[in-house]
Amino acid sequence: MQIRLSDHFSYRKLLRFTLPSIVMMIVASIYSVVDGLFVSNLVGDLALSAVNIIFPATMIIGAAGFMLGTGGSAIVARTLGEGDRELANRYFSMIIYSVIILGVILSVACAIFIEPIARLSGASDLLMDDCIAYGRIMMLGNAAFMLQVSFQSFLVVAEKPQMGLVLSISAGITNMVLDYVFIAVFQMGVVGAALATVAGYCVGGLIPLVYFFRASPDRLCLSKTQFYPKEFLHTCTNGSSELMSNISASIVGILFNIQLMRIIGEAGVAAHSVMMYVDFVFIAAFLGFSVGSAPIVSYHYGAANHSELKNVFRKSLWVVGVTSAAMVVVSEALSYPLSFAFVGYDADLLDMTVHGFRLFALCYFFCGVNIYASAFFTALSNGVISAFISFMRSLVLRGGLVLLMPVCLGLDGVWTSVIAAEALGACIAVGFFMMQRHKYHYL
């Protein structure tokens, strides 16, 4: 039986509705993990370092897709909750066409200027050639990536989360198979890894584009539209938290790489790469739940159904809390085997990675509530609070502490800076939950 946004949500129904988004995000995150496994084991640790140097820069460009997708989906879901499907389709169409235009412009521009981008990202002369080769292809594929992440939100609004799941799995399989073909068989190195990833982006971004063009007007579909300046600005401001979160995470990733290059060199960047690949998968669970539950919040907020808004909010916090504790336990238990899968060929690098990962993994106690809080306020169309939470957590706290803590703790200061940043960020998120409860009636 299909679950509707207008339903009453039990724990079972909430998890069933959000599970496709969770799995979708996890599968999407596996793109980078598979690239890392193939590059590290078949090309080498220097190539792995090069990929990790340039990857944050590609994510900064793709962040616009997160902004328009999450910010726009909240507006479209709210409009559906208000009962105006035709207007919701016009808003949806305007947003998707904007993603396409912006994606093409940014992709071409960044591919042209990839060398200075690599320099700014911290690439050394030893890593520059691989950074440019990998980065240029990834930049050209960013338009498809922006469509993919936008549709991840809109497929949930369209009450088609299962379709999003199937597309993500298909994109992931495409990436994995082509990674093997391009890297293991054709020996294409980082170029093969980039081509395989972009092919996965195309599966996840272009197929739903065709689907929404062919969908009937009585459902969410792409149609004739016009430019709505007020709604477009609201989309951008409402999704600014996701934009800020992704840009900040990428900037902080660059700061981490610069610090590690200064403290220990390319080996430190390789160790950090392993943690980031595992982190992509773990964080994806929180992101998927937040993306999956956000349209429910937006719908009931638009319908002024305060009792169901309270119900979803309370159940969501319990889900996030239990998942956070479970993630810490799992990550600590798997720190050695996961590290070994990436860098088992180098004993010293393996020891450094396992030690750092066991410290880093403690951040999962806190990051879930931070991610959910940002998505929750976006769903309530309060982009200012959502952006502030993301800005403080992702850039100010993580960025500031990774610069300060190594002064006292050396290399361990790099790994533990994430724990301190997430803990302080959780305090900010809880503070906003308490301050805004009477305005939105979720408590």
Side-chain angles (χ1 to χ4, degrees), residues 98-119:
S98 299
V99 170
I100 294 172
I101 294 170
L102 184 61
V104 171
I105 293 172
L106 289 176
S107 295
V108 173
C110 291
I112 293 172
F113 295 104
I114 188 62
E115 183 171 353
I117 290 173
R119 288 289 183 195

Side-chain angles (χ1 to χ4, degrees), residues 94-420:
M94 175 194 66
I95 293 163
I96 293 300
Y97 299 153
S98 299
V99 170
I100 294 172
I101 294 170
L102 184 61
V104 171
I105 293 172
L106 289 176
S107 295
V108 173
C110 291
I112 293 172
F113 295 104
I114 188 62
E115 183 171 353
I117 290 173
R119 288 289 183 195
L120 289 172
S121 298
S124 63
D125 292 336
L126 190 61
L127 304 177
M128 181 56 68
D129 288 344
D130 280 343
C131 285
I132 292 174
Y134 183 83
R136 179 169 285 127
I137 295 170
M138 291 290 289
M139 289 297 185
L140 288 173
N142 249 319
F145 174 70
M146 288 170 64
L147 276 174
Q148 182 184 26
V149 297
S150 296
F151 282 130
Q152 284 173 352
S153 297
F154 282 115
L155 283 167
V156 179
V157 176
E159 298 175 332
K160 293 287 184 180
Q162 291 83 4
M163 180 181 177
L165 173 59
V166 171
L167 286 171
S168 287
I169 292 174
S170 300
I173 292 173
T174 299
N175 182 46
M176 294 176 198
V177 171
L178 292 181
D179 262 328
Y180 175 78
V181 172
F182 291 154
I183 300 176
V185 178
F186 292 142
Q187 302 290 307
M188 295 174 67
V190 295
V191 170
L195 288 172
T197 299
V198 170
Y201 292 163
C202 290
V203 171
L206 301 184
I207 291 177
L209 183 65
V210 174
Y211 167 79
F212 281 113
F213 267 125
R214 301 181 64 180
S216 60
D218 61 337
R219 303 189 65 83
L220 193 65
C221 68
L222 288 168
S223 61
K224 291 183 179 179
T225 188
Q226 66 187 62
F227 185 68
Y228 296 90
K230 181 180 177 181
E231 283 69 26
F232 184 79
L233 179 61
H234 192 190
T235 294
C236 294
T237 55
N238 196 38
S240 60
S241 60
E242 280 64 33
L243 176 72
M244 179 59 64
S245 179
N246 283 276
I247 290 179
S248 298
S250 298
I251 292 174
V252 170
I254 293 170
L255 291 177
F256 266 77
N257 291 332
I258 291 173
Q259 283 285 70
L260 289 166
M261 287 289 287
R262 181 183 64 82
I263 295 171
I264 199 169
E266 286 84 1
V269 175
H272 182 238
S273 302
V274 176
M275 296 174 210
M276 289 302 97
Y277 287 132
V278 177
D279 189 56
F280 289 154
V281 178
F282 278 64
I283 292 297
F286 292 125
L287 289 172
F289 180 80
S290 299
V291 167
S293 61
I296 305 172
V297 173
S298 298
Y299 184 94
H300 289 288
Y301 173 59
N305 188 350
H306 297 151
S307 62
E308 186 58 23
L309 189 59
K310 291 177 182 179
N311 171 60
V312 172
F313 176 72
R314 290 171 178 171
K315 286 182 169 60
S316 296
L317 286 185
W318 273 105
V319 171
V320 169
V322 171
T323 304
S324 298
M327 279 190 178
V328 173
V329 174
V330 171
S331 57
E332 292 291 340
L334 296 180
S335 58
Y336 182 85
L338 289 174
S339 300
F340 185 85
F342 283 91
V343 294
Y345 52 82
D346 187 321
D348 291 337
L349 182 55
L350 176 61
D351 289 342
M352 182 199 310
T353 304
V354 172
H355 173 73
F357 187 36
R358 284 176 175 161
L359 294 174
F360 178 92
L362 296 175
C363 76
Y364 298 127
F365 274 127
F366 311 105
C367 63
V369 69
N370 295 330
I371 292 170
Y372 179 75
S374 180
F376 181 75
F377 284 108
T378 296
L380 294 174
S381 295
N382 194 326
V384 174
I385 290 179
S386 182
F388 183 80
I389 292 172
S390 292
F391 178 74
M392 290 300 296
R393 167 192 172 248
S394 301
L395 186 59
V396 175
L397 294 174
R398 279 200 175 199
L401 290 174
V402 78
L403 295 176
L404 294 175
M405 292 182 65
V407 175
C408 302
L409 300 176
L411 183 58
D412 280 352
V414 176
W415 314 134
T416 55
S417 64
V418 182
I419 307 170

Side-chain angles (χ1 to χ4, degrees), residues 67-81:
M67 175 187 70
L68 294 173
T70 54
S73 64
I75 293 171
V76 172
R78 187 192 65 200
T79 306
L80 289 172

